[in-house]
Amino acid sequence: MNNRRDFLKKSGLFLTAAMLPFPACISSNSYKKLGVALVGLGYYSTDLLAPALQQTQHCELRGIVTGSPEKIPVWQRRYGIKDSNVYNYANMHQIANNNDIDVIYIVLPTGLHAKYAIIAANTGKHVWCEKPMARTAEECRQIIEACEKNKVKLSIGYRMQHETNTQTIMKWAETNPYGEIQHVISEAGYNGGTINPWKLKKEMGGGAIYDMGVYPINAARYSTGLEPIAVSATQSTKRPEIFTEVDETTNFQLEFPDGIMVDGKTSFGENLNNLEVTCKNGWYYLRPMQSYSGVRGRTSDGKILAPMGKNQQAVQMDDDALAIINDKPVLVPGEEGLRDIAIVEKINESAALEGKRLSL
């Protein structure tokens, strides 16, 4: 049981500043929204984060960093971004001298996260980094060290941990309302549409286990409130002409203390969106468990977990902004991203050894 408490404390669930209705350490007269600069203007920034920033209460979009000059006028017209708040990858370090920007949000391919998160930290601005945190656990450690050295906050973009039904699942890991947890199924994947080319490149952190795998891995951890002690995994592809460097599908099993087993799966070839928790005296699930909206579930005794009804990215960014404003621990710190990537590395190692069980 102590392990469950440790997980919840590490995750910051009970420390989040989001539980405060308004910044407590400053007066409303002096309150100022935090300025956010997005690094990378691909799909996630364009279609999700930028629109979500228009719905936040405590932060706003003020800057962009892009290697595509043709995107600059579009973003400036749409969001009123000043010329002085537009940067490229070669000069983004100059954000250090820009008082408009308080937070730099890294929204690049996974293989570039470490390089640019460290540059961001060295500007003295707070760092938000999309998941997966980085390609290797060592890169995750380098990001954490850079943020600690520069005395800035680091938050990883695990939007699900900011979502209300997910937080209920996390609390149940501590309170065990349906008895001791016995077994978990945790799956996330998609099929259809064009796969971004970088997601097929090993050096960029491509593959299903990185792109989608952190969802079921993180869910396995937060739904049990524990850290896994062993892993075994296999990887496969039905389209070898496309997946020449990375996995299309990964099946994995995580062993946790107290005899809890988690069967996990992630794929670019199947639609998967499911978290099921079987306990001694009942069960509950979230289905879908990681969609951008409509996360819902039910329990064996008929409770309905209704969708949150709020923009997940807006809630995430407001929570993280309040942690900065109030100087409180962030909900999802760098250590959380590091733990998942350490598990990803072991999953890949086990798969290379044809499913050999490896201790964590």
Side-chain angles (χ1 to χ4, degrees), residues 121 124-126 144-154 327:
K125 307 297 183 178
H126 300 288
I144 293 169
E145 289 170 2
C147 290
E148 289 176 345
K149 176 183 175 182
N150 288 283
K151 296 181 172 58
V152 299
K153 291 188 183 295
L154 169 64
D327 193 21

Side-chain angles (χ1 to χ4, degrees), residues 58-116:
H58 307 295
C59 47
E60 60 187 13
L61 176 60
R62 294 206 192 121
I64 53 174
V65 179
T66 181
S68 303
E70 71 279 5
K71 294 181 180 180
I72 295 172
V74 176
W75 279 71
Q76 287 190 304
R77 284 195 303 270
R78 187 172 297 166
Y79 298 111
I81 297 170
K82 299 187 295 187
D83 289 343
S84 58
N85 292 351
V86 176
Y87 297 86
N88 57 50
Y89 299 116
N91 68 10
M92 69 172 279
H93 62 279
Q94 295 175 8
I95 295 177
N97 304 315
N98 190 333
N99 291 331
D100 280 349
I101 307 300
D102 303 290
V103 178
I104 299 177
Y105 197 155
I106 308 301
V107 202
L108 293 165
T110 304
L112 299 175
H113 282 186
K115 177 179 179 179
Y116 290 99

Side-chain angles (χ1 to χ4, degrees), residues 16 32 52 57 77-78 84 95 125 130 146 196 202 204 225 227 277-278 332 341 354 360:
T16 176
K32 166 181 166 291
Q57 298 179 29
R77 284 195 303 270
R78 187 172 297 166
S84 58
I95 295 177
K125 307 297 183 178
E130 256 314 305
N196 194 310
K202 183 176 181 179
M204 296 302 286
E227 300 298 340
V277 181
T278 301
V332 189
I341 297 304
E354 299 182 343
L360 287 164

Side-chain angles (χ1 to χ4, degrees), residues 28-226:
S28 59
N29 291 331
S30 64
Y31 178 58
K32 166 181 166 291
K33 287 187 176 183
L34 300 184
V36 177
L38 295 177
V39 181
L41 305 183
Y43 162 74
Y44 198 70
S45 284
T46 301
D47 289 5
L48 295 163
L49 291 178
L53 278 162
Q54 312 313 304
Q55 300 182 45
T56 58
Q57 298 179 29
H58 307 295
C59 47
E60 60 187 13
L61 176 60
R62 294 206 192 121
I64 53 174
V65 179
T66 181
S68 303
E70 71 279 5
K71 294 181 180 180
I72 295 172
V74 176
W75 279 71
Q76 287 190 304
R77 284 195 303 270
R78 187 172 297 166
Y79 298 111
I81 297 170
K82 299 187 295 187
D83 289 343
S84 58
N85 292 351
V86 176
Y87 297 86
N88 57 50
Y89 299 116
N91 68 10
M92 69 172 279
H93 62 279
Q94 295 175 8
I95 295 177
N97 304 315
N98 190 333
N99 291 331
D100 280 349
I101 307 300
D102 303 290
V103 178
I104 299 177
Y105 197 155
I106 308 301
V107 202
L108 293 165
T110 304
L112 299 175
H113 282 186
K115 177 179 179 179
Y116 290 99
I118 291 169
I119 292 173
N122 288 336
T123 68
K125 307 297 183 178
H126 300 288
V127 180
W128 297 346
C129 182
E130 256 314 305
K131 63 184 182 317
M133 183 177 175
R135 188 167 174 266
T136 67
E138 178 55 33
E139 288 181 346
C140 294
R141 293 186 189 97
Q142 292 171 5
I143 296 171
I144 293 169
E145 289 170 2
C147 290
E148 289 176 345
K149 176 183 175 182
N150 288 283
K151 296 181 172 58
V152 299
K153 291 188 183 295
L154 169 64
S155 183
I156 312 303
Y158 283 86
R159 60 188 167 81
M160 301 321 306
Q161 291 202 29
H162 299 260
E163 192 273 330
T164 54
N165 289 330
T166 304
Q167 290 184 341
T168 295
I169 298 297
M170 294 173 73
K171 291 175 183 176
W172 286 352
E174 169 73 8
T175 60
N176 290 328
Y178 297 91
E180 294 295 323
I181 295 171
Q182 297 176 334
H183 182 250
V184 176
I185 297 174
S186 188
E187 305 169 315
Y190 61 88
N191 184 26
T194 302
I195 298 174
N196 194 310
W198 73 260
K199 295 183 180 182
L200 301 174
K201 300 293 184 182
K202 183 176 181 179
E203 67 179 21
M204 296 302 286
I209 191 60
Y210 278 99
D211 186 53
M212 297 299 291
V214 291
Y215 286 110
I217 292 170
N218 200 249
R221 294 175 51 239
Y222 64 62
S223 65
T224 61
L226 297 168

